[in-house]
Amino acid sequence: MAYCDRCQRGFPHDRAYEQHREFSHSHWLCESCNVDFASQESLEQHYTNSARHHYCQECDRHFSSVEGKIQHMEAKHWYCQECDRPFSSVEAKIQHMEAKKHWCCQECDKHFSSGEARVQHMEAKHWYCQAHSKVRSPR
């Protein structure tokens, strides 16, 4: 006889217990890790914190690779890759980047280890004028 400790309930056979875990609101299963969580929030936290999962909590979407998740996050959620954190607006992301001293190209979102490296990249790739702090049109 199978028994569910969480629900304090017995089942006549293993298949009945498995069906109970699968359909009960007291069980939230991560099928790939075979772990049972007590709440949907705990399962989502597991997806977010586990290196095995590439999960966007904002959209409740799973991705097959970390690269796929990052592409999605950058395209849809004003994402800071260094902090693994989405923002609600481009303004919030820029404010974060400046406060945390993340050096990021606003034209292509490439990250740099220093402000100087970012300026060199922008001058070379985006026709950036440091004296006027803006991108020029190519001639």
Side-chain angles (χ1 to χ4, degrees), residues 81-93:
Q81 190 172 347
E82 287 187 49
C83 296
D84 190 28
R85 181 176 163 198
F87 292 89
S88 59
S89 69
V90 70
E91 293 82 10
K93 179 183 175 185

Side-chain angles (χ1 to χ4, degrees), residues 50-63:
S50 171
R52 287 185 72 179
H53 299 284
H54 314 295
Y55 175 70
C56 174
Q57 195 169 11
E58 304 292 315
C59 299
D60 191 30
R61 283 184 60 189
H62 294 265
F63 297 88

